[in-house]
Amino acid sequence: MTSIVPTESAKMTGPKARASAVRTGPPARTAPAALAPRARLLPSLAAVYRAQLSRARVARIPLLFVATFQSVGIMVLMRGVVDGGAEARAVVAGSSVLVVAFVALNLLAQYFGQLRAGGGLDHYATLPVPPAAVVLGAAGAYASFTVPGTIVTAVAGSVLFGLPMTHLWVLVAVIPLSGAALSGLGAALGLLAPRQEVATLLGQLGMSAALLLGVLPAERLPGPVGWARDLLPSTYGVEALTRSFDAHPDWAVVALDLAVCAAVGVLSLAVATWAYRRAAVR
């Protein structure tokens, strides 16, 4: 039997059919949501610095004590063979900057080597912060731990060798500039090392170089070793602090040494930032 009642679709013709087709068509597309603005460098740097500082405060204080005790012990040993003069100034300045090398170079190389081996870089790679903020924040936090130990070592050495403490305010510039140069070097060594053990070894070798080339007087070193001393980032901080023990320091030469130390610090931190980008994408 064939029905003679027209169907609903047959009834809807003309404008009604077109209106129904429009209503039942595909849903309209919505515009994608705008992405959040990228984090700026300075706020990101401050956040990473505070996080690293609070994380490493408990673990690094005993190591800072060891670094200070080591530097003071070296000065006590050198007191038996050095009476005073230029050699005493070099020993005190080199031992003071050695505290910076122990923490900012040695420990930071081990930290980034461990971070890379354990997959910790993946965590930082997911954060919306510039790579430079991660490197600078960690380097700044580690360098901050060297401030009390360096001051104690410089004061103890001045008393031990009878050096004037009038111009020890130079440490205000020597500590951050030497810390930046050595922190950048330590971070680069830890990030570029193929294995964690290699990063630890490179950090130890760097600290040993700072010990031998920084504490020993420059005029006592052979020619090729003296050239290696000129390549060490902490050398110029040691030279600036050494000259500050003079009765009438040549402040132009001191400023030149600090400027070279600052330039080396910028270069080493730039290399460390590049090494972080390279390690984070692998």
Side-chain angles (χ1 to χ4, degrees), residues 27-265:
R29 295 182 179 180
T30 58
L35 296 177
R38 186 180 180 182
R40 291 177 296 174
L41 176 62
L42 292 181
S44 302
L45 174 60
V48 174
Y49 174 80
R50 289 194 300 267
Q52 288 288 338
L53 199 64
S54 61
R55 176 185 178 277
R57 183 182 293 116
V58 177
R60 302 309 175 194
I61 287 179
L63 294 175
L64 177 60
F65 174 80
V66 172
T68 307
F69 182 80
Q70 171 185 264
S71 295
V72 173
I74 289 173
M75 291 190 301
V76 172
L77 291 176
M78 295 297 292
R79 184 65 179 86
V81 295
V82 175
D83 293 331
E87 295 180 347
R89 294 193 290 269
V91 169
V92 175
S95 300
S96 301
V97 178
L98 182 62
V99 179
V100 183
F102 181 85
V103 178
L105 194 160
N106 183 26
L107 296 185
L108 197 60
Q110 296 182 30
Y111 170 73
F112 273 107
Q114 179 183 5
L115 200 67
R116 181 183 179 186
L121 290 181
D122 297 336
H123 166 70
Y124 283 107
T126 59
L127 298 178
V129 296
V134 178
V135 175
L136 293 176
Y142 274 73
S144 298
F145 283 106
T146 67
V147 175
T150 305
I151 294 175
V152 169
T153 302
V155 172
S158 300
V159 173
L160 186 63
F161 288 92
L163 299 177
M165 292 185 282
T166 308
H167 306 298
L168 278 185
W169 55 265
V170 175
L171 288 173
V172 174
V174 170
I175 292 176
L177 294 179
S178 299
L182 293 172
S183 296
L185 179 60
L189 292 176
L191 290 168
L192 294 176
R195 295 195 305 273
Q196 180 181 351
E197 296 80 8
V198 177
T200 302
L201 176 62
L202 293 176
Q204 292 286 346
L205 290 176
M207 189 196 68
S208 300
L211 168 61
L212 296 176
L213 302 179
V215 174
L216 296 179
E219 58 273 9
R220 297 289 186 90
L221 299 175
V225 179
W227 300 337
R229 183 177 184 270
D230 295 336
L231 297 176
L232 191 66
S234 60
T235 297
Y236 303 96
V238 172
E239 290 293 334
L241 185 57
T242 300
R243 291 187 172 91
S244 70
F245 288 118
D246 296 337
H248 302 285
D250 189 346
W251 294 114
V253 180
V254 171
L256 179 61
D257 288 330
L258 293 176
V260 173
C261 192
V264 174

